[in-house]
Amino acid sequence: MSKTFEVIERVGISTEGVNEAIKEVILEANNEKKVGWFEVIEQRGRVTSDGKVEFQVKVRIGRKLKE
Amino acid sequence: MSKTFEVIERVGISTEGVNEAIKEVILEANNEKKVGWFEVIEQRGRVTSDGKVEFQVKVRIGRKLKE
Amino acid sequence: MSKTFEVIERVGISTEGVNEAIKEVILEANNEKKVGWFEVIEQRGRVTSDGKVEFQVKVRIGRKLKE
Amino acid sequence: MSKTFEVIERVGISTEGVNEAIKEVILEANNEKKVGWFEVIEQRGRVTSDGKVEFQVKVRIGRKLKE
Amino acid sequence: MSKTFEVIERVGISTEGVNEAIKEVILEANNEKKVGWFEVIEQRGRVTSDGKVEFQVKVRIGRKLKE
Amino acid sequence: MSKTFEVIERVGISTEGVNEAIKEVILEANNEKKVGWFEVIEQRGRVTSDGKVEFQVKVRIGRKLKE
Amino acid sequence: MSKTFEVIERVGISTEGVNEAIKEVILEANNEKKVGWFEVIEQRGRVTSDGKVEFQVKVRIGRKLKE
Amino acid sequence: MSKTFEVIERVGISTEGVNEAIKEVILEANNEKKVGWFEVIEQRGRVTSDGKVEFQVKVRIGRKLKE
Amino acid sequence: MSKTFEVIERVGISTEGVNEAIKEVILEANNEKKVGWFEVIEQRGRVTSDGKVEFQVKVRIGRKLKE
Amino acid sequence: MSKTFEVIERVGISTEGVNEAIKEVILEANNEKKVGWFEVIEQRGRVTSDGKVEFQVKVRIGRKLKE
Amino acid sequence: MSKTFEVIERVGISTEGVNEAIKEVILEANNEKKVGWFEVIEQRGRVTSDGKVEFQVKVRIGRKLKE
Amino acid sequence: MSKTFEVIERVGISTEGVNEAIKEVILEANNEKKVGWFEVIEQRGRVTSDGKVEFQVKVRIGRKLKE
C-alpha cells in the first residue's frame, strides 16, 4: 500500500484576517480529502475597492496520495 | 504615461495582533497614495514593559509611481 | 559583565489562531527569563481529529544570557 | 462560493528566448482555465544537439480553484 | 505539440533510509507517467512508536504535461 | 562628500517582454537621477483581458544618494 | 498544561552514510526526551586521515518542552 | 499617532573596512532622522585603481515614519 | 570512467537583452567543452555611458569533468 | 562514545566593531565548553543614546555534546 | 605562505544511492588535491531508460589553493 | 572579443579580523588576474589551539574571462 503524500499549493483569501484565510483554504481542502499537514509559505494582500485590507495566504497542503 | 510601480518597505506595530499590525500600516500607506498590493516579509516582536506581546510586521507595499 | 544574548527556538500551538499561538509560547518563555525580542520563522499546522485547524508557529526568542 | 486559488507549477521550453518560453506555458494554462497570475521561479537550459540554446522557464501559476 | 512539463510535489516515506524514500516516491510517480527529473527539496522525519527513525523526503517531480 | 548609495525598489511592466519591462523602469529611474546599477529580484505577470501575457519585473536600483 | 515544543539543533557524524549519521543523532536525542519530529538542514563532510568520507548532518529536532 | 516605521536601503562604502562602511552610512542616515535599527544584508566590493580593497555594505535601516 | 560533472559560474553581458547575454556566455562555454545544462542565478545590470541598459546575467554551467 | 555536536545560537554585541562582537560571544562560549566552529548568520545594530553604532552579530556555535 | 582555500562545485552521479554519489565525487576530487571539507548543496535525479533511479548530488568542495 | 566574466569562489583566513581575511583573499586573486568585483557569501570560524578566534570568509570573485 502506498505511503506517499501529495503536496498541493493553494491561496486562501479573507478580509477578516490571516486566521480566517488559512481556515477557509484548509477546511475546503480537508473536505475534498483529509489534510495531513499544511505550511504557510507566503502572505500578500491588497486594499479592496471599499477600503478593506484583503489577506491572501499561500499554503502548501500535504495529503495522503491514496486514502 | 508611466506604468511603473514603486515598492516601499514599512513596519506596522500592534499589541492586539498580526491583523491589526498589517491593517494599520497598509491603510496608513493607502491614505498617502493608493496601495496596489502588499507582501508580508517578516514578523518579529517583543514583550512590552507591562507584559504584553507586541507584534511587529514588516511589509513591502506596491503603489503606482505616478497616479 | 556579559552583554551576550542567547537565541532559542520554540513552537507555540493553538486552535484559536496565530496570535494566540505566538502569545502562548512567548509569554511562557518570558516567565522563565525576560524575552528581549522574538522572530516568527515558520507557520505550519494540521486539522485536529474533531475538525479544527491547529496553528503551529515556530519562533526564535532572544534573551540575555545572564540576567 | 469558494474564493480559493490553486497554484500549479509548470516548465515552458523554447529555443527562441525567455519571453517565448513564458508565453507558451502561460497561454497553454490559460486555455485550460483562466490564469490569475504567474511567478517565474527558475530559469535553466541546455544546448541542443544542433547547437542552439534551449531556455527552460519554471513558473508558478495561480488560477481560481472553481470558476 | 506541447513541450510543457508539469511539476508536482510529493513526500516519500521509509524507515529504511533516504534512498528508499526517494526510490519509492519516484518510481510510483513514474508508473503513472514517465518522470523527466526530480529535485529533493526537504528532508524531515520522526521516531516511530517502535523506536525506528522514519525518513520523509519531499521531492519536486517534472513530467511531460501530455505524453 | 557622501559616498553613500540609496537603493530603491520598482516594478516595470510590459506586454512586449522581459527586456522591455526592465528597460522602461531603469531608464525612467535614470532620468530622475543617474542609475549606478540594478538587480532583477522578481518576475511575475498576468494575462490581460485581451489575452496578452503581461510581464512584471521587480528591480532594485542603486543610485548615488547625493549627486 | 504547556503544549509548547522546544527546537534544538545537533550535528550527527558517521563514516558509513547519511542514514547512519541521522539515526545516531536522532536516537541519542530521543533517549534524552521523546523526539516529536526532525528536519535535516545541512549536509557537510570531510575526508578522514585514513581516506574515508565522513558525513556530517545538521538536524533541527522538535521535542515537547515539558513531558 | 502613527507607530509605523519606514525601512530604507542604502550602501555604505569605505576602503578602511566593514565597520567604517557601516558607521558612515548609518550615522549619515541618523543625521537625517533618528535610526531605530539596521540590518546588514549584503557585502560586496572591488579593487580600486590604486590597488586597495573597497568594502561596499548594503544595509536596511528602520526609522520612525513620523517623529 | 568518471561520471562526474564540474559546475562553473560565469557572467554574460549584452546591451541587446537577457537572451543575448545568456546565449553569448553559454555558447562560448560550449565551444571550450560541451555544456550539459545551465542555471540562471542572478540578473543585474547598469546604464552605459551612452544611455543603454546593459544586461549582466550570472549562470552556473554543468559540464562533464572529463569528456 | 557520542560523536554528536550541539549547535547553539547567540548574539554578541559591541560598539567597537564586528570583530569585537564576534570575539566576545565566541570566547565566552569557548570558556563554557570548547567551541568546534561558528557561523555568522545575521548582522544587525542600532545607534546608542550617545550616538555610537552598536554592532549585534548573531552566530551559530558548534560544540561537542559531551566532552 | 597562502592560507587561502579554493571552493569548486561538482555533481556526483550514482544509481546506487546518495552516499555513493557523494563518495564518488569527493574521493575523485581528493585524488587531484586533498579535500578540506565539502557541502551538499543540491540533490536531483532522473529515472534511467532501464527504470533505475539515478541520484545526482551537487557538492561544494573546499581545498587549499596551494598545497 | 569576449565580454564574459568568470566567477570563482575562495575562502580567506585571518586571526586578525574580517577585513584582513577579505583583503588577503581578494588581493591574492587580484595578483593572478584583475578582480572586477567580489561578494562576501559566508562567514565562519573556529577557535585556534592557542585560544584565538580565526575568521574564515567565503567570497565569490568576478574577473574578466580573457584579459
Side-chain angles (χ1 to χ4, degrees):
Chain A
M1 209 203 72
S2 170
K3 288 179 297 187
T4 301
F5 280 78
E6 63 174 10
V7 183
I8 61 166
E9 205 166 304
R10 297 232 173 126
V11 177
I13 293 176
S14 168
T15 51
E16 285 180 70
V18 170
N19 293 341
E20 288 71 20
I22 293 174
K23 279 181 185 166
E24 194 160 299
V25 72
I26 295 303
L27 294 177
E28 186 181 33
N30 194 53
N31 281 345
E32 298 163 12
K33 192 159 56 167
K34 192 174 161 18
V35 167
W37 79 91
F38 68 88
E39 315 155 36
V40 175
I41 54 172
E42 204 180 77
Q43 298 187 41
R44 298 171 66 93
R46 62 179 184 106
V47 179
T48 62
S49 55
D50 59 334
K52 284 189 186 143
V53 173
E54 182 186 279
F55 299 89
Q56 305 161 347
V57 185
K58 198 193 276 178
V59 291
R60 281 210 190 98
I61 297 169
R63 301 187 297 195
K64 274 280 208 177
L65 187 59
K66 292 166 193 157
E67 279 184 305
Chain B
M1 208 204 72
S2 170
K3 286 179 297 185
T4 300
F5 281 78
E6 63 174 9
V7 183
I8 60 166
E9 205 166 304
R10 297 235 174 125
V11 177
I13 293 177
S14 170
T15 52
E16 285 179 70
V18 170
N19 293 342
E20 288 72 19
I22 293 174
K23 279 180 185 166
E24 194 160 298
V25 72
I26 295 303
L27 295 177
E28 186 181 32
N30 195 54
N31 281 345
E32 298 163 14
K33 193 159 56 167
K34 193 174 161 17
V35 167
W37 80 90
F38 68 89
E39 317 155 34
V40 175
I41 54 171
E42 204 181 76
Q43 298 188 42
R44 299 172 64 94
R46 62 179 185 106
V47 180
T48 62
S49 56
D50 58 334
K52 285 190 186 141
V53 173
E54 182 187 278
F55 299 89
Q56 305 161 345
V57 184
K58 198 193 277 178
V59 293
R60 281 207 191 100
I61 297 168
R63 301 186 298 193
K64 274 279 206 177
L65 188 57
K66 293 166 193 158
E67 279 183 306
Chain C
M1 208 203 73
S2 170
K3 287 179 296 186
T4 301
F5 281 78
E6 63 173 9
V7 183
I8 61 166
E9 205 167 304
R10 297 234 174 127
V11 178
I13 292 176
S14 169
T15 52
E16 285 180 70
V18 169
N19 293 342
E20 288 72 18
I22 293 174
K23 279 180 185 167
E24 194 161 298
V25 72
I26 295 304
L27 294 178
E28 186 181 32
N30 195 53
N31 281 345
E32 299 162 12
K33 194 160 55 168
K34 191 171 161 22
V35 167
W37 79 91
F38 68 89
E39 316 155 35
V40 175
I41 54 172
E42 204 180 78
Q43 298 188 43
R44 299 172 65 94
R46 64 179 183 107
V47 179
T48 62
S49 56
D50 59 334
K52 284 189 186 141
V53 172
E54 181 186 279
F55 299 88
Q56 305 161 347
V57 184
K58 199 192 275 178
V59 292
R60 282 209 190 100
I61 298 168
R63 300 187 298 194
K64 273 278 205 179
L65 187 58
K66 291 166 194 158
E67 278 184 307
Chain D
M1 207 203 74
S2 170
K3 286 180 297 186
T4 301
F5 279 78
E6 62 173 12
V7 183
I8 61 166
E9 204 167 305
R10 297 233 174 126
V11 177
I13 292 177
S14 168
T15 50
E16 284 180 71
V18 170
N19 292 342
E20 288 71 19
I22 293 174
K23 279 180 185 167
E24 193 161 300
V25 72
I26 294 304
L27 294 177
E28 186 181 32
N30 194 52
N31 281 345
E32 299 162 13
K33 194 160 54 168
K34 192 175 162 15
V35 167
W37 80 91
F38 68 88
E39 315 155 36
V40 175
I41 53 171
E42 205 180 77
Q43 297 188 43
R44 300 172 64 93
R46 64 178 184 106
V47 180
T48 62
S49 55
D50 59 334
K52 283 188 187 144
V53 173
E54 181 186 278
F55 299 89
Q56 305 162 346
V57 184
K58 198 193 276 179
V59 291
R60 281 209 191 99
I61 298 168
R63 300 187 298 194
K64 274 278 205 178
L65 188 58
K66 293 166 193 157
E67 279 184 306
Chain E
M1 209 204 71
S2 170
K3 286 180 296 186
T4 301
F5 280 78
E6 63 174 10
V7 183
I8 60 166
E9 204 166 304
R10 297 232 174 128
V11 177
I13 293 177
S14 167
T15 51
E16 285 180 71
V18 169
N19 293 342
E20 287 72 18
I22 294 174
K23 279 180 185 166
E24 194 160 298
V25 73
I26 295 304
L27 294 177
E28 187 181 31
N30 194 53
N31 282 345
E32 298 162 13
K33 193 160 55 167
K34 191 172 164 18
V35 166
W37 79 90
F38 68 89
E39 315 155 34
V40 175
I41 54 172
E42 204 180 77
Q43 299 187 42
R44 298 172 65 93
R46 62 178 185 106
V47 180
T48 62
S49 56
D50 59 333
K52 284 189 185 141
V53 173
E54 182 186 278
F55 300 89
Q56 305 162 346
V57 185
K58 197 192 279 178
V59 291
R60 281 210 191 99
I61 298 168
R63 300 187 297 195
K64 274 279 207 178
L65 188 58
K66 293 167 192 155
E67 278 185 306
Chain F
M1 207 205 73
S2 169
K3 287 179 297 185
T4 301
F5 281 78
E6 62 174 9
V7 183
I8 61 167
E9 204 166 304
R10 297 233 174 126
V11 177
I13 293 177
S14 169
T15 51
E16 284 180 71
V18 170
N19 293 342
E20 287 71 18
I22 294 174
K23 279 180 185 166
E24 194 161 298
V25 73
I26 294 304
L27 295 177
E28 186 181 32
N30 194 53
N31 281 345
E32 298 163 12
K33 193 159 56 169
K34 190 172 164 20
V35 166
W37 79 91
F38 67 89
E39 314 156 37
V40 176
I41 55 172
E42 204 180 78
Q43 298 188 42
R44 299 171 66 93
R46 63 179 184 106
V47 179
T48 62
S49 57
D50 59 334
K52 284 189 185 142
V53 173
E54 182 186 278
F55 299 89
Q56 305 162 346
V57 185
K58 197 192 278 179
V59 291
R60 280 209 191 99
I61 297 168
R63 300 187 299 193
K64 272 280 206 177
L65 187 58
K66 292 166 193 157
E67 278 184 306
Chain G
M1 208 204 72
S2 170
K3 287 180 296 187
T4 301
F5 280 78
E6 63 174 9
V7 183
I8 60 166
E9 205 166 304
R10 298 236 173 123
V11 177
I13 292 177
S14 168
T15 51
E16 284 180 71
V18 170
N19 293 342
E20 288 71 19
I22 294 174
K23 280 180 185 167
E24 194 160 299
V25 72
I26 294 303
L27 294 176
E28 186 181 31
N30 194 52
N31 281 345
E32 298 162 13
K33 193 159 57 167
K34 190 173 164 19
V35 167
W37 80 90
F38 68 88
E39 315 155 35
V40 175
I41 54 172
E42 204 181 78
Q43 298 187 43
R44 298 172 66 95
R46 62 179 184 107
V47 179
T48 62
S49 56
D50 58 334
K52 283 187 187 145
V53 173
E54 181 186 277
F55 299 89
Q56 305 161 345
V57 184
K58 197 193 278 179
V59 291
R60 281 210 191 99
I61 297 168
R63 301 187 298 193
K64 274 279 206 178
L65 188 57
K66 293 167 193 158
E67 279 185 306
Chain H
M1 209 204 72
S2 170
K3 288 180 296 187
T4 301
F5 281 78
E6 63 174 10
V7 183
I8 60 166
E9 205 166 305
R10 297 235 173 123
V11 178
I13 293 177
S14 169
T15 51
E16 284 179 72
V18 170
N19 293 341
E20 287 72 19
I22 293 173
K23 279 180 186 166
E24 193 160 300
V25 72
I26 295 303
L27 294 176
E28 186 181 31
N30 194 54
N31 281 345
E32 299 162 12
K33 194 160 54 168
K34 190 173 163 20
V35 167
W37 80 91
F38 68 88
E39 315 154 37
V40 175
I41 55 172
E42 205 180 77
Q43 298 187 43
R44 300 172 64 94
R46 63 179 184 106
V47 180
T48 62
S49 56
D50 59 334
K52 284 190 187 142
V53 173
E54 181 185 279
F55 299 89
Q56 306 161 345
V57 185
K58 198 192 277 178
V59 292
R60 281 210 190 99
I61 297 169
R63 300 186 298 193
K64 274 278 205 179
L65 187 57
K66 292 164 193 158
E67 277 183 308
Chain I
M1 208 203 73
S2 170
K3 287 179 295 186
T4 300
F5 280 78
E6 63 174 8
V7 183
I8 61 165
E9 205 166 303
R10 298 234 173 124
V11 177
I13 292 177
S14 168
T15 52
E16 286 179 70
V18 170
N19 294 341
E20 288 71 19
I22 294 174
K23 278 180 186 167
E24 194 160 299
V25 71
I26 295 303
L27 294 177
E28 186 181 31
N30 194 54
N31 280 346
E32 298 162 13
K33 192 159 55 167
K34 191 174 164 16
V35 167
W37 79 91
F38 68 89
E39 315 155 35
V40 175
I41 54 172
E42 205 180 76
Q43 297 188 42
R44 298 172 66 93
R46 63 178 184 106
V47 180
T48 62
S49 56
D50 58 334
K52 283 189 187 143
V53 173
E54 181 186 279
F55 300 89
Q56 305 162 345
V57 185
K58 197 193 278 179
V59 292
R60 281 209 192 99
I61 298 168
R63 301 187 298 194
K64 275 280 208 178
L65 187 58
K66 292 166 192 158
E67 279 186 306
Chain J
M1 208 204 72
S2 171
K3 287 179 296 186
T4 301
F5 279 79
E6 64 174 9
V7 183
I8 61 166
E9 206 165 303
R10 298 234 174 126
V11 177
I13 292 177
S14 168
T15 51
E16 285 180 71
V18 170
N19 294 342
E20 288 71 19
I22 294 174
K23 279 180 185 166
E24 193 161 298
V25 71
I26 295 303
L27 294 177
E28 186 181 31
N30 195 53
N31 281 345
E32 298 162 12
K33 194 159 56 168
K34 190 173 163 19
V35 166
W37 79 92
F38 68 89
E39 315 155 35
V40 175
I41 54 172
E42 205 180 77
Q43 298 188 41
R44 297 172 66 94
R46 62 180 185 106
V47 179
T48 62
S49 55
D50 58 333
K52 285 190 186 142
V53 173
E54 181 187 279
F55 300 89
Q56 306 162 345
V57 185
K58 198 192 278 179
V59 292
R60 281 211 190 98
I61 298 168
R63 300 187 298 195
K64 274 279 208 178
L65 187 58
K66 292 167 193 157
E67 278 184 307
Chain K
M1 207 203 73
S2 170
K3 285 179 297 185
T4 301
F5 279 78
E6 63 174 9
V7 182
I8 60 166
E9 206 166 304
R10 298 234 173 124
V11 177
I13 292 177
S14 167
T15 52
E16 285 180 70
V18 170
N19 293 342
E20 287 72 17
I22 294 173
K23 279 180 185 166
E24 194 160 299
V25 72
I26 295 304
L27 294 176
E28 187 181 30
N30 194 52
N31 280 345
E32 297 163 13
K33 193 160 54 168
K34 190 171 164 22
V35 167
W37 80 90
F38 68 88
E39 315 155 36
V40 175
I41 53 172
E42 204 180 78
Q43 298 187 42
R44 298 172 65 94
R46 63 178 185 108
V47 180
T48 61
S49 56
D50 58 334
K52 283 189 186 143
V53 173
E54 182 186 279
F55 299 89
Q56 305 162 345
V57 185
K58 198 193 276 180
V59 291
R60 281 209 190 98
I61 297 168
R63 301 186 298 194
K64 274 279 206 177
L65 187 58
K66 292 165 194 159
E67 280 185 305
Chain L
M1 207 204 74
S2 170
K3 288 179 296 187
T4 301
F5 280 78
E6 63 174 9
V7 183
I8 62 166
E9 205 167 304
R10 298 235 174 124
V11 177
I13 292 176
S14 168
T15 52
E16 283 180 71
V18 170
N19 293 342
E20 288 71 18
I22 293 174
K23 280 180 185 166
E24 193 160 300
V25 71
I26 295 303
L27 294 177
E28 186 181 31
N30 194 52
N31 281 345
E32 299 162 13
K33 192 160 54 167
K34 191 173 162 20
V35 167
W37 79 91
F38 68 89
E39 315 155 36
V40 175
I41 54 172
E42 205 181 76
Q43 298 188 42
R44 300 171 64 93
R46 63 179 184 106
V47 180
T48 62
S49 56
D50 59 334
K52 284 189 187 141
V53 173
E54 181 186 280
F55 299 89
Q56 305 161 347
V57 185
K58 199 193 275 179
V59 292
R60 282 210 190 98
I61 297 168
R63 301 187 297 194
K64 274 279 208 177
L65 187 58
K66 292 166 192 157
E67 279 184 306

